[in-house]
Amino acid sequence: MKPQKEPITYEQFSAMDIRIGTILAAEKVPKTQKLMKLTIDTGIDKRTVVSGIAEFFEPEKIVGKQVNILVNLEPRKIKGIESQGMILMAEDENGSLKMIIPEENVKREVR
């Protein structure tokens, strides 16, 4: 296991906007082995996220899955694609990535 990173303050943690999003589309980024382009419905919008998960997941098998997504991460261009967030993953003892997903599908209501 990697050592723990430096502690952050409660204010730093509370600045993160983490939501449940649904993967609407997924495709491998051409000419890369690790990157996948995802379209995610965050409940507030539909956005593109580029993630280094292509070695661990097949695009057609993750469409429809719900994931935790950090929505207020500053956008960043990755291989010419603007990524507008980050999905949260866990790494097991073998270095494989695992999705952090809700136990049950989360339904959002407009209020």
Side-chain angles (χ1 to χ4, degrees), residues 71-91:
V71 295
N72 65 330
L73 185 64
E74 186 174 298
R76 179 178 173 190
K77 286 240 181 192
I78 302 172
K79 294 291 182 184
I81 304 166
E82 184 173 74
S83 185
Q84 304 162 312
M86 180 180 289
I87 59 172
L88 306 182
M89 305 292 284
E91 187 176 338

Side-chain angles (χ1 to χ4, degrees), residues 26-38 49-57 59 77-81 83:
E27 63 184 75
K28 291 184 178 184
V29 175
K31 300 181 182 177
T32 70
Q33 290 190 349
K34 295 182 179 185
L35 298 180
M36 193 176 295
K37 177 183 169 185
L38 308 169
V49 173
V50 177
S51 183
I53 65 170
E55 293 179 299
F56 305 98
F57 301 96
K77 286 240 181 192
I78 302 172
K79 294 291 182 184
I81 304 166
S83 185

Side-chain angles (χ1 to χ4, degrees), residues 22-27 36-39 57-67 99:
T22 302
I23 299 174
L24 302 176
E27 63 184 75
M36 193 176 295
K37 177 183 169 185
L38 308 169
T39 303
F57 301 96
E58 293 298 322
E60 61 276 0
K61 291 185 179 177
I62 63 172
V63 171
K65 290 207 179 276
Q66 290 192 316
V67 293
M99 288 190 175

Side-chain angles (χ1 to χ4, degrees), residues 5-16:
K5 293 183 179 183
E6 292 295 318
I8 62 172
T9 66
Y10 178 80
E11 288 74 22
Q12 289 170 311
F13 173 76
S14 66
M16 293 189 288

